[in-house]
Amino acid sequence: MPIRVAIVGSGPSGFYTAEALAKSDADCEIDLIERLPAPHGLIRYGVAPDHQTTKNVARNFDKTAARDEMRFYGNVDIGTDISLDDLRGMYDAVVLAIGSPEDNKLGIPGEDKQGVIGSAAFVGWYNGHPDFVDLAPDLNSANVCVIGNGNVAVDIARLLVKTRAELSTSDITNDALDALQASSVTDVYMLGRRGPVEAKFTNVELREMGHLENCVPQIDGSIIPDGVPEEEEMSDRDRRLREKNLGTLRDFVGRDPNELEKRVHFEFYAAPREILGDDKVEGLRLERTQVVDGRAVGTGEFFEIETSLVLPAVGYRSSGLEGLPFNDDWGVAVSEDGRAGDGLYVVGWIKRGPSGVIGTNRPDGQLAAKQIIEDIAEGSKPGRAALEAALQKNGARIVNYDDWQALDAHEKANARDGAPREKEITVAAMLGVLDGA
Ligand code: NAP
């Protein structure tokens, strides 16, 4: 009997696991289960809409989905439609590739005020994620504070200041594009609690901020160190990357703030301490820091930025799934290098936390496939026959890969001029397209 495997989550780590299993010599039946009608997870809903080349990997995912061993079950929510325990009863192996969909908290007073929007929600909104279509961020603020110095913070800052022309070839939704173009935003503050050497953004992303049509980068040159301190321990590659970032930041020094209509201010050594205002955000209070033994330590000097929009981009977490051993402090599954229980495996961000690039998930998928083949010599469970019977009983509307490809074609046909697609942004609308509504 084949080894019957259910993979939950059809983002990069789910697809890489499916690919590794399908290409192995083992006899496997692989069912890829996805909560939404559309596959590809972070590729569709996380990668910036103006970084289309990063999304090309979805073509490889389509090839994997077309393999004989594979079936796609979209619009099926594990935890709601079927429990994890039931799924484990149906399949020889269950692989959870469910990511880190929630925002880390800042843990400062005022975080619950209206006008504080975490990056998961904000990025989800401009990328047309069904969970965030009703976000309606109030962009009527000249200043916007983006907290964090990772690539997500840079993505958000860039999307806030790009022109309509610059976004014309992106797949940002029309609603988000119109809202951003109508915004009052003129000054975006990118706030790092540590310094330029410690910033996590990569150089290509940083450089892009110096070549925008209507936005000029601003930085106080006196805070940029001459180089990465010799005593800092890191790989040669890391050192080179950080030196490059310092060079790019130096190129930003002295740019005329009035050269263009908008500005992105790179503000380092600035830790958020309190969100100000009554019910709504009116400002952000920060403390100057210095970096001691790699940590940001407050100096006792405070300053404020007037704003009604604060966007923390300080990393993501998961809150787990019933039946999955979970470390709530870290927001990741408890596993032994991916083995989370008898026939239960985790891959990607739910295993490692939210780090790395898309390709970082590939070795994860390869390892999980190897573990499954080592652990399970021969399949003994019913797999998709049991899944389909249970879903039929629930009256679920399963979206298969042919359905997805029909939806994909519809979205491409509906794109505004020059754009790759116009996403359907609610589950009802996606199903409506498929069911001819
Ligand atoms: P990230 O790279 O971990 O950056 C998180 C940032 O938030 C860091 O600067 C961190 O500062 C800061 N932070 C955390 N807690 C904070 C707090 N309480 N107060 C102030 N600042 C705080 O995470 P990310 O930007 O969400 O990205 C997630 C992953 O996706 C990363 O691996 C990223 O490279 C990847 N990604 C890649 C691309 C791309 O390749 N173009 C695009 C988007 C995302 P400290 O360093 O001081 O902790």
Side-chain angles (χ1 to χ4, degrees):
M1 286 244 287
I3 306 173
R4 296 196 162 105
V5 185
I7 300 169
V8 182
S10 68
S13 64
F15 260 107
Y16 284 129
T17 308
E19 182 193 34
L21 282 166
K23 287 186 173 168
S24 74
D25 295 335
D27 181 15
C28 294
E29 258 179 33
I30 308 149
D31 294 342
L32 189 55
I33 302 171
E34 167 60 52
R35 175 169 76 93
L36 295 171
H40 303 162
L42 210 64
I43 301 293
R44 180 171 162 101
Y45 293 120
V47 171
D50 57 339
H51 282 178
Q52 285 297 313
T53 45
T54 311
K55 298 185 188 235
N56 286 343
V57 66
R59 291 183 203 146
N60 295 343
F61 297 166
D62 287 345
K63 281 187 201 150
T64 300
R67 294 182 67 111
D68 287 344
E69 308 88 337
M70 285 281 303
R71 292 279 187 289
F72 177 71
Y73 294 88
N75 198 34
V76 175
D77 187 15
I78 300 306
T80 311
D81 293 320
I82 292 187
S83 72
L84 176 58
D85 280 352
D86 285 346
L87 197 68
R88 291 177 73 182
M90 295 171 186
Y91 285 87
D92 301 304
V94 172
V95 183
L96 296 179
I98 54 179
S100 307
E102 290 149 39
D103 283 303
N104 275 335
K105 292 281 176 210
L106 288 169
I108 61 172
E111 200 170 355
D112 52 353
K113 289 189 204 306
Q114 199 183 323
V116 181
I117 302 175
S119 54
F122 197 72
V123 171
W125 167 70
Y126 62 60
N127 272 327
H129 192 298
D131 289 355
F132 304 108
V133 281
D134 297 325
L135 189 73
D138 185 350
L139 300 168
N140 189 20
S141 181
N143 295 337
V144 178
C145 290
V146 180
I147 301 175
N149 267 178
N151 277 329
V152 172
V154 183
D155 282 349
I156 290 175
R158 191 180 67 248
L159 267 286
L160 282 167
V161 297
K162 269 197 166 181
T163 62
R164 188 177 283 277
E166 283 175 307
L167 291 171
S168 64
T169 55
S170 80
D171 66 349
I172 188 171
T173 65
N174 278 330
D175 289 352
L177 179 59
D178 289 345
L180 287 167
Q181 294 304 309
S183 86
S184 325
V185 177
T186 56
D187 290 81
V188 176
Y189 290 81
M190 285 262 310
L191 301 162
R193 62 180 169 182
R194 298 190 292 161
V197 170
E198 291 81 18
K200 288 186 170 148
F201 39 65
T202 41
N203 193 249
V204 176
E205 281 64 25
L206 181 62
R207 273 206 315 267
E208 219 181 325
M209 300 307 286
H211 303 284
L212 298 173
E213 255 179 34
N214 198 21
C215 177
V216 61
Q218 298 286 290
I219 183 168
D220 167 5
S222 71
I223 60 104
I224 307 176
D226 292 337
V228 179
E230 283 295 325
E231 59 276 17
E232 290 233 4
E233 275 182 36
M234 64 184 75
S235 67
D236 288 349
R237 185 174 173 274
D238 256 6
R239 191 173 289 275
R240 273 199 308 276
L241 291 176
R242 284 163 199 236
E243 293 283 4
K244 265 189 167 177
N245 275 357
L246 295 182
T248 304
L249 290 171
R250 265 181 231 117
D251 292 342
F252 294 168
V253 176
R255 294 278 299 263
D256 175 1
N258 298 315
E259 184 185 326
L260 298 165
E261 279 172 23
K262 300 183 185 191
R263 289 151 293 276
V264 169
H265 305 261
F266 287 87
E267 194 65 67
F268 292 96
Y269 304 108
R273 293 293 186 234
E274 186 179 355
I275 314 260
L276 307 170
D278 294 328
D279 296 344
K280 288 186 179 176
V281 176
E282 289 170 20
L284 178 64
R285 183 171 156 82
L286 299 116
E287 184 177 5
R288 283 282 167 218
T289 63
Q290 53 191 16
V291 176
V292 180
D293 295 334
R295 294 174 64 88
V297 178
T299 61
E301 184 195 335
F302 292 85
F303 67 105
E304 291 176 9
I305 299 173
E306 196 182 318
T307 181
S308 57
L309 188 58
V310 174
L311 305 173
V314 294
Y316 299 122
R317 55 174 286 122
S318 162
S319 53
L321 185 63
E322 203 183 323
L324 172 68
F326 198 69
N327 181 331
D328 207 35
D329 291 337
W330 291 88
V332 294
V334 175
S335 78
E336 268 178 47
D337 206 10
R339 288 185 170 99
D342 191 19
L344 185 64
Y345 305 82
V346 286
V347 289
W349 283 7
I350 186 68
K351 170 186 171 186
R352 292 183 281 111
S355 64
V357 292
I358 303 297
T360 315
N361 294 295
R362 187 170 217 160
D364 265 18
Q366 288 166 338
L367 177 64
K370 186 169 163 273
Q371 290 169 336
I372 290 168
I373 295 163
E374 268 168 22
D375 295 349
I376 305 161
E378 173 128 20
S380 62
K381 296 192 179 169
R384 64 181 63 136
L387 176 71
E388 286 182 10
L391 291 174
Q392 235 162 34
K393 215 162 124 195
N394 294 350
R397 165 51 165 111
I398 299 169
V399 173
N400 62 32
Y401 221 74
D402 286 346
D403 288 337
W404 154 244
Q405 284 177 321
L407 180 59
D408 187 34
H410 160 90
E411 289 188 346
K412 285 175 176 158
N414 245 359
R416 61 180 176 268
D417 258 1
R421 68 175 66 242
E422 179 61 29
K423 289 176 192 166
E424 291 295 343
I425 58 176
T426 66
V427 170
M430 291 187 219
L431 299 180
V433 169
L434 297 178
D435 297 334

